């Protein structure tokens, strides 16, 4: 089957549209999170999302409606733990993450074990997303990108040097809360595409790939977005044409791009030295 | 008539139950050049953070440019060079220009966009500090001295009226250090900028500052160098030789 024929399928069109928006969304947030050494917050919140999906399935409400408030509250919980309990971000993420997965396992066990629905959230499937999911992805991505556009310099200053940013009159607590809440919503959306297990890959890999070559913060965001978009497109095409799982294909393409950029950087610095 | 830039009244700061600063009261007037010195753990950095609004006082009050601290919003009037310049991520993908531009955003209203005149100001500042040739280098590619100059540029880009320098010359070679202090002297004398210089180097502070604030959780001495150098009580407190070390370059 050629690409043209493939693009005629409505489910492929939905996957590509939603995937593009979520790809850019993850790339932009990923750059901020990786630079703030909060790379694994995506992973931690995805585990909370797993617990929330289990809760939604037990209570027979849409997993999305259960996940968004719970994951958002958990993201703020991570911030509070870092501020008030005086622990590093990785430990705070670890606490919330394990609590989320433990809650999910307990709920699944009380409901009579894991079922197909819960498993579908573990590994995701972009090829099965609905028109409603596409609209939600576009809406949320647009909001996040607008927030980053309007707060660009606040975010850059805070990410580079929090103390100096505060001394410049930037409201660090507000910006930090906005970033983690946006991450929470993004994780819930991304879960549908690559699943709980691989969500953090979409946040981390495009960002670290961009850092291999980017010369400037703005350029890093643009390159990470391009890498992420390419990975989602290539992953979906690979998945459809070779009958592979979509989420895993997207992550593998992402990793290959990282490996390529990493090698290019190595070659460039060797040539420079010579 | 002297204009108060900073006014501190009965300032107390505690970290948990530990006392960091105990009932400080002093004024800094326009065009003062204050050397803030004291032993390790004496509260110098805590005082700087309180002036910058980064630490909330446990008691007392402060005004900055005549405005009470909690209401102060004109942060562009204050230039700050932090002590821990290596606390940032060395792999951060920002260029020198981008970092210097961050100094300008305290002047901007939401959504804090930079314009052409800002770009010109950045170029001028880079040229003034002789770092225009590294404007597009990544911050992680710089030497310690170059990095320090970038942070100095970020602190001075707004032409601040109050400049707070926390151990500013630790990474600089002697020539750059001398150039840095002549720039500060020029800003202090010609543009009447007020400077608070935190340093451990009591042997050279008299060369630069006109006033001395000696801190050890509370104020041990605050006044002009001339007063300090003839003070019998300070002579008793420090011993004649230490007093001489502080005063000999003044």
């Amino acid at each position: 089957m050629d690409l043209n024929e493939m693009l005629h399928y409505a489910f492929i069109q939905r996957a590509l549209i939603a995937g593009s928006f979520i790809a850019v969304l993850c790339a932009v947030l990923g750059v901020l999170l990786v630079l703030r050494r909060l790379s694994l917050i995506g992973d931690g919140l995805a585990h909370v999302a797993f617990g929330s999906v289990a809760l939604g399935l037990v209570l027979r409400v849409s997993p999305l409606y259960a996940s968004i408030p719970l994951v958002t509250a958990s993201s703020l919980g991570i911030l509070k733990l870092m501020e008030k309990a005086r622990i590093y971000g990785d430990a705070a993420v670890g606490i919330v993450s394990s609590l989320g997965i433990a809650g999910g396992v307990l709920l699944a066990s009380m409901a009579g074990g894991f079922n197909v629905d819960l498993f579908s959230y573990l590994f995701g499937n972009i090829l099965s997303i609905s028109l409603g999911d596409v609209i939600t992805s576009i809406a949320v991505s647009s909001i996040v990108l607008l927030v980053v556009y309007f707060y660009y310099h606040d975010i850059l200053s805070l990410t580079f040097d929090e103390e100096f940013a505060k001394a410049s009159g930037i409201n660090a607590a507000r910006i930090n809360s906005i970033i983690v809440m946006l991450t929470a919503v993004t994780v819930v959306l991304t879960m549908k595409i690559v699943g709980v297990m691989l969500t953090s890959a979409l946040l981390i890999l495009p960002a670290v790939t961009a850092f291999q070559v980017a010369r400037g913060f703005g350029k890093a965001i643009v390159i990470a977005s391009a890498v992420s978009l390419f990975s989602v497109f290539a992953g979906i095409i690979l998945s459809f044409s070779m009958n592979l799982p979509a989420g895993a294909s997207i992550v593998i393409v992402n990793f290959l791009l990282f490996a390529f950029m990493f090698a290019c950087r190595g070659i460039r610095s060797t040539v420079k030295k010579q | 008539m002297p204009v108060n830039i900073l006014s501190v009244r009965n300032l107390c700061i505690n970290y948990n139950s530990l006392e960091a600063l105990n009932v400080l009261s002093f004024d800094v007037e326009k065009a003062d050049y204050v050397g803030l010195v004291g032993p390790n753990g004496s509260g110098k950095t805590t005082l700087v953070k309180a002036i910058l609004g980064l630490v909330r006082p446990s008691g007392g009050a402060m005004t900055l440019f005549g405005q009470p601290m909690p209401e102060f919003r004109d942060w562009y009037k204050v230039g700050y060079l932090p002590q821990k310049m290596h606390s940032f991520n060395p792999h951060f993908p920002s260029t020198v220009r981008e970092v210097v531009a961050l100094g300008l955003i305290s002047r901007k209203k939401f959504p804090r966009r930079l314009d052409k005149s800002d770009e010109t100001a950045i170029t001028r500042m880079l040229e003034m500090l002789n770092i225009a040739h590294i404007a597009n280098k990544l911050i992680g590619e710089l030497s310690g001295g170059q990095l320090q100059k970038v942070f100095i540029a970020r602190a001075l880009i707004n032409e601040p009226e109050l400049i707070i320098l926390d151990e500013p010359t630790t990474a600089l070679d002697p020539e750059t250090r001398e150039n840095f202090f002549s720039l500060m002297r020029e800003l202090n004398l010609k543009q009447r900028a007020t400077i608070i210089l935190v340093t451990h180097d009591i042997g050279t502070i008299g060369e630069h500052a006109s006033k001395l604030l000696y801190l050890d959780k509370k104020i041990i001495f605050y006044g002009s160098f001339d007063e300090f150098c003839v003070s019998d009580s300070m002579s008793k407190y420090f011993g004649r030789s230490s007093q001489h070390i502080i005063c000999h370059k003044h």
Side-chain angles (χ1 to χ4, degrees):
Chain A
M1 187 186 295
D2 66 12
L3 188 63
N4 229 351
E5 198 179 332
M6 211 174 119
L7 293 175
H8 278 98
Y9 289 104
F11 72 96
I12 291 282
Q13 292 169 1
R14 285 197 299 269
L16 289 175
I17 295 169
S20 309
F21 277 90
I22 293 175
V24 174
L25 174 63
C26 285
V28 173
L29 279 175
V31 167
L32 308 181
L33 296 174
V34 171
L35 287 174
R36 311 193 82 192
R37 301 178 194 198
L38 278 172
S39 303
L40 286 177
I41 196 171
D43 205 41
L45 292 177
H47 289 161
V48 176
F50 171 76
S52 314
V53 169
L55 182 68
L57 293 174
V58 168
L59 298 177
R60 294 183 194 288
V61 296
S62 159
L64 195 69
Y65 295 143
S67 298
I68 287 184
L70 272 175
V71 178
T72 306
S74 303
S75 67
L76 293 174
I78 290 172
L79 267 193
K80 281 281 164 232
L81 276 173
M82 285 163 64
E83 282 167 22
K84 305 284 179 196
R86 296 184 174 189
I87 54 178
Y88 287 114
D90 55 351
V93 169
I95 292 170
V96 172
S97 164
S98 44
L99 191 65
I101 210 96
V105 171
L106 275 182
L107 284 167
S109 153
M110 282 157 66
F114 288 86
N115 57 33
V116 176
D117 278 347
L118 197 55
F119 264 114
S120 74
Y121 282 94
L122 274 181
F123 298 104
N125 188 3
I126 194 173
L127 301 179
S128 70
I129 63 174
S130 66
L131 184 62
D133 292 332
V134 175
I135 293 168
T136 313
S137 308
I138 294 173
V140 173
S141 306
S142 307
I143 292 170
V144 173
L145 295 177
L146 279 175
V147 168
V148 172
Y149 175 77
F150 283 117
Y151 285 100
Y152 178 82
H153 280 107
D154 298 55
I155 291 171
L156 170 57
S157 184
L158 205 56
T159 308
F160 181 69
D161 182 347
E162 184 152 337
E163 189 174 274
F164 184 86
K166 286 179 181 170
S168 303
I170 290 171
N171 188 336
R174 186 173 67 193
I175 303 284
N176 282 334
S177 301
I178 289 173
I179 291 173
V180 294
M181 284 196 291
L182 294 178
T183 306
V185 179
T186 303
V187 163
V188 174
L189 276 179
T190 312
M191 189 171 62
K192 196 89 183 175
I193 295 186
V194 291
V196 167
M197 307 301 284
L198 299 174
T199 295
S200 63
L202 269 195
L203 288 166
I204 298 172
L205 279 168
V208 295
T209 305
F211 296 158
Q212 304 307 309
V213 288
R215 298 190 71 81
F217 184 72
K219 285 176 187 161
I221 289 180
V222 172
I223 295 171
S225 302
V227 165
S228 193
L229 265 175
F230 179 83
S231 307
V232 168
F233 269 68
I236 289 172
I237 292 166
L238 264 179
S239 151
F240 187 74
S241 54
M242 298 175 73
N243 199 22
L244 296 169
S249 304
I250 292 170
V251 172
I252 294 297
V253 174
N254 248 315
F255 175 76
L256 291 175
L257 282 174
F258 167 72
F260 175 72
M261 296 287 202
F262 178 67
C264 285
R265 186 188 179 188
I267 293 166
R268 196 176 63 181
S269 51
T270 311
V271 169
K272 255 189 178 177
K273 273 179 199 164
Q274 286 172 350
Chain B
M1 189 179 157
V3 180
N4 267 355
I5 297 294
L6 170 69
S7 197
V8 177
R9 290 289 170 274
N10 302 318
L11 180 73
C12 297
I13 294 178
N14 298 328
Y15 288 126
N16 296 325
S17 53
L18 287 174
E19 183 183 77
L21 291 175
N22 182 17
V23 203
L24 261 54
S25 294
F26 64 94
D27 292 314
V28 176
E29 290 163 6
K30 189 166 177 63
D32 275 351
Y33 195 147
V34 180
L36 174 53
V37 292
N40 287 335
S42 59
K44 301 185 294 291
T45 298
T46 301
L47 177 59
V48 164
K49 286 186 174 178
I51 297 168
L52 294 165
L54 301 175
V55 171
R56 192 175 292 188
S58 322
M62 281 193 292
T63 62
L64 207 47
F65 295 93
Q67 298 173 51
M69 265 307 275
E71 280 113 66
F72 185 75
R73 294 286 176 273
D74 301 331
W75 289 108
Y76 63 89
K77 291 182 177 175
V78 183
Y80 170 49
L81 185 61
Q83 181 185 20
K84 291 182 212 150
M85 68 162 191
H86 290 296
S87 64
F88 77 98
N89 175 1
H91 303 299
F92 202 95
S94 264
T95 60
V96 166
R97 271 196 95 83
E98 279 181 327
V99 173
V100 175
L102 294 179
L104 284 166
I105 66 171
S106 56
R107 187 180 274 280
K108 302 284 175 185
K109 297 260 182 289
F110 180 81
R112 304 188 200 264
R113 292 274 161 245
L114 301 183
D115 54 33
K116 268 197 165 174
S117 64
D118 297 322
E119 295 299 333
T120 313
I122 295 169
T123 306
R124 210 172 39 230
M125 180 54 69
L126 295 176
E127 281 166 357
M128 191 172 98
L129 291 168
N130 291 322
I131 48 172
H133 61 289
I134 56 165
N136 295 316
K137 272 202 166 194
L138 289 181
I139 203 79
E141 297 170 346
L142 307 181
S143 68
Q146 287 175 323
L147 201 55
Q148 185 71 322
K149 282 186 175 181
V150 172
F151 289 135
I152 292 167
R154 184 181 66 169
L156 300 182
I157 186 81
N158 275 323
E159 296 175 8
E161 292 175 51
L162 171 63
I163 303 170
I164 300 175
L165 310 161
D166 197 352
E167 300 279 357
T169 55
T170 40
L172 301 181
D173 57 64
E175 190 190 340
T176 314
R177 193 181 305 150
E178 187 45 48
N179 290 341
F180 171 77
F181 281 122
S182 12
L183 174 65
M184 289 303 118
R185 210 169 297 132
E186 196 179 306
L187 291 173
N188 178 239
L189 295 175
K190 290 189 183 160
Q191 296 179 26
R192 294 180 49 77
T194 309
I195 297 175
I196 298 176
L197 167 66
V198 181
T199 182
H200 271 107
D201 191 0
I202 55 168
T204 59
I205 186 68
E207 236 179 299
H208 316 296
S210 55
K211 281 186 173 176
L212 181 72
L213 173 54
Y214 195 96
L215 205 62
D216 195 357
K217 296 194 172 155
K218 55 188 194 316
I219 292 177
I220 304 298
F221 177 84
Y222 182 52
S224 70
F225 266 91
D226 296 332
E227 289 166 335
F228 177 82
C229 296
V230 295
S231 162
D232 284 338
S233 61
M234 286 301 106
S235 182
K236 275 182 199 146
Y237 185 89
F238 289 101
R240 282 242 176 259
S241 56
S242 296
Q243 189 184 27
H244 177 72
I245 289 171
I246 296 173
C247 294
H248 83 287
K249 287 216 172 172
H250 182 64

